[in-house]
Amino acid sequence: MAALGWLTPRKRSATARSVLAGEAAAEAARKTSQELESVATADATAEKPAEPAFPVVGDVEAAAFFDLDNTVMQGAAIFHFGRGLYKRKFFQRRELARFAWQQAWFRMAGVEDPEHMQDARDSALSIVKGHRVAELMTIGEEIYDEYMADRIWPGTRALAQAHLDAGQKVWLVTAAPVETATIIARRLGLTGALGTVAESVDGVYTGKLVGEPLHGPAKAEAVRALAAAEGLDLSRCAAYSDSHNDIPMLSLVGHPYAINPDTKLRKHAKARDWRLRDYRTGRKAAKVGIPAAAGVGALAGGTAAAVALHRRRR
């Protein structure tokens, strides 16, 4: 029997056996973990190929077009501009009440009534009629510091800066007055702005628009015209907006982004695999602040907001 001793495991203490079992289990777990990690990494690489760098550095035939309200700025620029004009006695409470009704009807009905829209445009333009363009530009600079500077979305600004760093031009495209949009673009270091143009003669506002407010399809036409003048390839350009009204503009470019999108734009973007970015707390669908009446142009949105502000203060 002694000759068979080598077949019999040597007796070890319970403690030694426990240590051996523990070490073996730990080693096996470590190896298993490494194997699983390798498989997961391989699967992730296969499922999600790395996206090419965008924007492309040095691509001078590309540019970026940013909507303003609720895309670059929290709320509507015209709302903040209207607050500043009301503070400076540009219009009276009876005008505020009128604008507020038009804005409230627009928001509740969800459609743009042609008569209401025309009335709102005429009323808004009457406020600036007779004032010098230079005067409104100076006031606009002050209003930016008072109400707008702290309402720029950091995330969207970073996107714009990425295009600038890549050597590309960046434009605001908005229904807000072009003077207001130009001030904001300059303060943010952007290339320039496309906005609604109010007619002026010898530097004085006439109370008329040049064409129609830059809204919806008009934005797409403005982008198309600017791209042709600048020698841009729209398939290599990017556009950013929060509103389904800007789908025509977003559809023009090769890189459309839905930023803080409303319900209709979110659905449209997901269906077409557009990129989405949402910088709102809790991904709220409701827009921040009081939105401008989307085709009203000049000042209607701002005056409606000023009514609410005046009532809260009282």
Side-chain angles (χ1 to χ4, degrees), residues 21 31-32 40 71 83 96 110 166 170 176 182 255 259 271 274 292:
K31 290 181 178 179
T32 302
T71 301
R83 290 174 65 187
L96 288 173
V170 178
T182 299
H255 301 277
I259 305 294
W274 290 357

Side-chain angles (χ1 to χ4, degrees), residues 52-241:
F54 184 81
V56 179
V57 176
D59 187 357
V60 296
E61 291 187 43
F65 304 94
F66 284 80
D67 169 56
L68 178 56
D69 297 342
N70 294 307
T71 301
V72 172
M73 175 182 293
Q74 298 177 39
I78 200 65
F79 158 61
H80 304 304
F81 190 62
R83 290 174 65 187
L85 292 184
Y86 180 67
K87 175 182 176 181
R88 290 163 175 80
K89 311 298 184 184
F90 266 68
F91 43 85
Q92 304 301 316
R93 290 183 61 190
R94 64 177 179 273
E95 293 171 301
L96 288 173
R98 183 182 183 186
F99 286 131
W101 159 246
Q102 292 167 335
Q103 176 76 334
W105 190 94
F106 173 82
R107 294 185 67 191
M108 289 186 293
V111 295
E112 299 174 359
D113 180 86
E115 292 184 5
H116 280 202
M117 300 297 286
Q118 184 63 49
D119 186 33
R121 283 196 291 267
D122 292 343
S123 300
L125 287 167
S126 70
I127 292 174
V128 298
K129 182 179 180 180
H131 288 275
R132 300 195 66 82
V133 175
E135 176 191 10
L136 269 295
M137 289 294 288
T138 299
I139 291 174
E141 295 281 357
E142 297 171 358
I143 292 174
Y144 179 86
D145 291 328
E146 292 171 1
Y147 300 115
M148 301 181 185
D150 294 335
R151 291 176 170 83
I152 303 299
W153 289 109
T156 312
R157 186 169 187 175
L159 291 173
Q161 189 60 48
H163 286 280
L164 293 171
D165 292 343
Q168 298 172 5
K169 293 183 178 181
V170 178
W171 305 84
L172 292 181
V173 189
T174 174
V178 67
E179 293 85 0
T180 302
T182 299
I183 290 170
I184 296 170
R186 185 173 66 252
R187 290 298 193 93
L188 296 180
L190 309 183
T191 306
L194 299 165
T196 297
V197 179
E199 182 185 77
S200 64
V201 176
D202 296 328
V204 177
Y205 289 112
T206 66
K208 299 178 182 179
L209 287 183
V210 177
E212 290 292 317
L214 198 68
H215 169 66
K219 284 189 177 182
E221 293 304 321
V223 168
R224 185 181 284 110
L226 183 63
E230 294 279 324
L232 302 174
D233 181 349
L234 286 173
S235 68
R236 290 148 71 175
C237 292
Y240 303 78
S241 179

Side-chain angles (χ1 to χ4, degrees), residues 153 260 266 278-286:
W153 289 109
N260 305 327
R266 183 181 293 276
D278 203 321
Y279 302 120
R280 298 165 295 186
T281 303
R283 299 173 63 84
K284 294 179 181 178

